[in-house]
Amino acid sequence: EVAATLAGAPSGGAPVLGRLDVALADTRVRDAVLVSLVPGPQDLPERSLREAPGATDALVAEAVAGIVDQHRGVVPPPGLTAAHVTVLERVVGHGRRGAQAPACTLLALLAWWQADGARAGLLLERALTEDPDHRLARILDRTLAVAMPPGWVRRAG
């Protein structure tokens, strides 16, 4: 869906978006999407799903560092980030009400990474209302509570 969005092709529609919504409930799928947000090995999302749990942990940690680490954090790539936002917003728009914490959390992460804490906070509020125990949402909520900016922002200033 992201590749289609980047290419300007039509969306797969409600059936594809619904499947994405359901798939994001699986933490491994959600984390595969998370690592796809960051420039790095293009096969990492698929490998993180295909290989044995733990086999790609170091590469996944490196991808996460690209978002959060002050020394390795990168600026969100505009085109790729916009495509992910578009797809995740479509997922939320077509998803199951009351079960959208994973997609809202990923959108919040993207907003935070782009230094838009206000939008991230609103998306996290929705995610935590729908699932108060959503681990990534809680981590990101604590990050916002202590006003920690993404890595590239801390490095810049």
Side-chain angles (χ1 to χ4, degrees):
E1 199 65 14
V2 171
T5 300
L6 282 168
S11 167
V16 170
L17 297 169
R19 285 194 299 275
L20 288 170
D21 175 52
V22 171
L24 286 173
D26 181 322
T27 303
R28 286 182 54 152
V29 172
R30 186 212 56 216
D31 289 350
V33 171
L34 190 153
V35 299
S36 75
L37 305 174
V38 185
Q42 297 212 342
D43 66 339
L44 181 56
E46 292 82 15
R47 286 179 53 202
S48 67
L49 291 171
R50 189 177 60 242
E51 295 180 13
T56 58
D57 283 357
L59 292 171
V60 170
E62 185 69 26
V64 172
I67 298 172
V68 301
D69 186 84
Q70 179 175 352
H71 303 289
R72 295 182 286 172
V74 297
V75 175
L80 184 61
T81 300
H84 277 101
V85 167
T86 297
V87 171
L88 287 165
E89 286 174 344
R90 288 179 188 154
V91 168
V92 169
H94 288 83
R96 301 161 295 150
R97 297 291 168 223
Q100 296 175 342
C104 286
T105 301
L106 288 170
L107 278 168
L109 178 68
L110 285 168
W112 174 77
W113 190 21
Q114 295 176 85
D116 188 349
R119 182 165 197 252
L122 292 171
L123 288 159
L124 284 173
E125 182 179 327
R126 179 172 177 182
L128 290 168
T129 297
E130 293 188 4
D131 183 358
D133 296 322
H134 192 277
R135 187 166 180 245
L136 182 57
R138 292 174 59 118
I139 291 168
L140 190 53
D141 189 52
R142 285 192 299 269
T143 301
L144 288 176
V146 298
M148 185 177 110
W152 69 271
V153 171
R154 285 187 315 221
R155 183 179 61 250

